[in-house]
Structure formats: structure tokens, C-alpha cells
Amino acid sequence: RLSSMKSEVMDWMKKPARNAGDIAEGLATLREIGGVPSSTFAGYLDHNDEAVRREALAGYSAADDVAVIGEISTRWASLTATARNSVVAGMTSNAAKTEAFAKAVAAGDFSGVDGVAIEKIIASLGSDHPAVLAMLKNKSGLLRPVIDLPGDGASRLNLPITLTGPFTVETWIKLREDISNQDSLLGQRGGPDFNFY
């Protein structure tokens, strides 16, 4: 991240002898240096070489410019899953862009945005941020608690679940100190009991 190298790399990229591989490496270098205007990357977003387009998009999304959110939303539908992950990382690289991204998701842009992107937005802004609350309200089916037990001792969720064959149980739990063998994740009367005691 040698910011003093920024102009030198830009000049190097503009030399006529540069091929697509050189340009892609130059764009990746500028993205790593940081503080490069989005316009530097924008000129390569529609380049005929796939590697150049990929690096330009990654650099463009990481630029400190809220306006990149609108441009990326117009390209979102055509992006691969890998490219989407890359631009989400860039769009959540500062609070201002993350807020604009959350508002765009809430407004219906970025169709098909996944839980990983939502998690990054929440991690950046916090779960109580107004933009996050608006986004989650409009994406209510994407993230929701599966079980929320208040800890009153009588709380349970009785479901007729039939498990056949091998299965995996996975959870994140915060345990109180007064747990007993009656505090279970999964159990059956007269059968196996996955308790925490």
C-alpha cells in the first residue's frame, strides 16, 4: 500500500506496450494501494479481456465513492457468484457505501442478494442501524431466528420431526451457568437426548 507509487503505476499502465495481463495486474495493484478514484477503474469495466474486467470491477467497487453502488446495481444481474462476492466486499469497505448498499437492497435493487452480503452489511453498520432495519423488513425471509427461547425453564419447541439416516446438528448457543440435563438441543422421550449438561 505504497500510496506514492499510485501515479507511477497509472503511468506504467498507459504505455502502449501494455497487454491485457499487464493492465489487469496494474488495476489489482491500484486496488491494493487504495485511495484511487473510481473513474480510474470505470474506464476498464467494459474491456474486452475478462481478467481486466474482473480487476476493474473489484477496484471500482472498492473505491471510496458512494456512486459506485448505483453503477454496480445495473451490472448485478450479469455478474457471476465470484464477481458478486468481490463487489460485495468492495461495497462494504466503508460505512457510507455500506449504508447506500443497504438502502439499495431495501429498495429492491441487487435482486438475489444472499445471506453473506446481508451479514457483511450488518457487521459493518450494526443490527440497529435504520438502513439495516429497513433492509431486513423488506428481506424478511432471508434472515430470521430459527428458535428464540426466553429462558423461563418451560420453553420448548415440540415439532414432529422424522430424521432418517445420518444427520448433523449445528448451532451457536449462549449457555447460562444453571443449565441441567433438562436443557437440550434435540431429544426424544425415552430416546436419545442431546443435552448440554
Side-chain angles (χ1 to χ4, degrees):
R1 297 181 183 272
L2 301 172
S3 58
S4 59
M5 294 281 295
K6 202 181 308 181
S7 59
E8 190 172 333
V9 173
M10 289 181 185
D11 291 342
W12 176 83
M13 285 175 55
K14 292 174 185 172
K15 291 185 178 177
R18 298 292 161 242
N19 59 32
D22 292 339
I23 295 169
E25 287 180 13
L27 291 169
T29 302
L30 290 173
R31 176 174 47 83
E32 288 297 327
I33 288 173
V36 178
S38 59
S39 58
T40 302
F41 299 100
Y44 297 96
L45 289 174
D46 297 312
H47 195 275
N48 58 10
D49 183 82
E50 192 271 332
V52 172
R53 290 195 307 272
R54 182 179 63 243
E55 293 298 342
L57 189 62
Y60 184 77
S61 66
D64 292 332
D65 182 1
V66 174
V68 303
I69 306 298
E71 175 62 28
I72 292 170
S73 72
T74 66
R75 297 170 180 268
W76 181 258
S78 64
L79 298 181
T80 64
T82 303
R84 286 183 176 190
N85 288 338
S86 174
V87 298
V88 165
M91 291 188 298
T92 55
S93 60
N94 70 45
K97 284 194 315 185
T98 306
E99 182 175 354
F101 181 31
K103 287 178 178 177
V105 171
D109 298 341
F110 297 97
S111 176
V113 69
D114 62 10
V116 174
I118 302 296
E119 286 176 13
K120 287 188 176 186
I121 291 171
I122 294 170
S124 176
L125 298 177
S127 58
D128 295 330
H129 192 282
V132 170
L133 295 174
M135 177 188 68
L136 292 178
K137 182 179 179 183
N138 291 346
K139 295 284 182 186
S140 59
L142 191 57
L143 294 178
R144 61 177 182 237
V146 176
I147 302 174
D148 186 10
L149 303 174
D152 61 10
S155 300
R156 62 182 44 91
L157 188 63
N158 292 319
L159 294 175
I161 300 173
T162 303
L163 299 170
T164 58
F167 63 90
T168 300
V169 177
E170 182 177 339
T171 184
W172 289 19
I173 296 178
K174 181 178 181 183
L175 297 172
R176 296 192 331 193
E177 291 183 10
D178 60 343
I179 64 166
S180 72
N181 62 359
Q182 295 179 14
D183 298 303
S184 300
L185 172 64
L186 183 65
Q188 176 183 1
R189 280 192 197 280
D193 179 31
F194 295 81
N195 74 70
F196 305 116
Y197 184 64

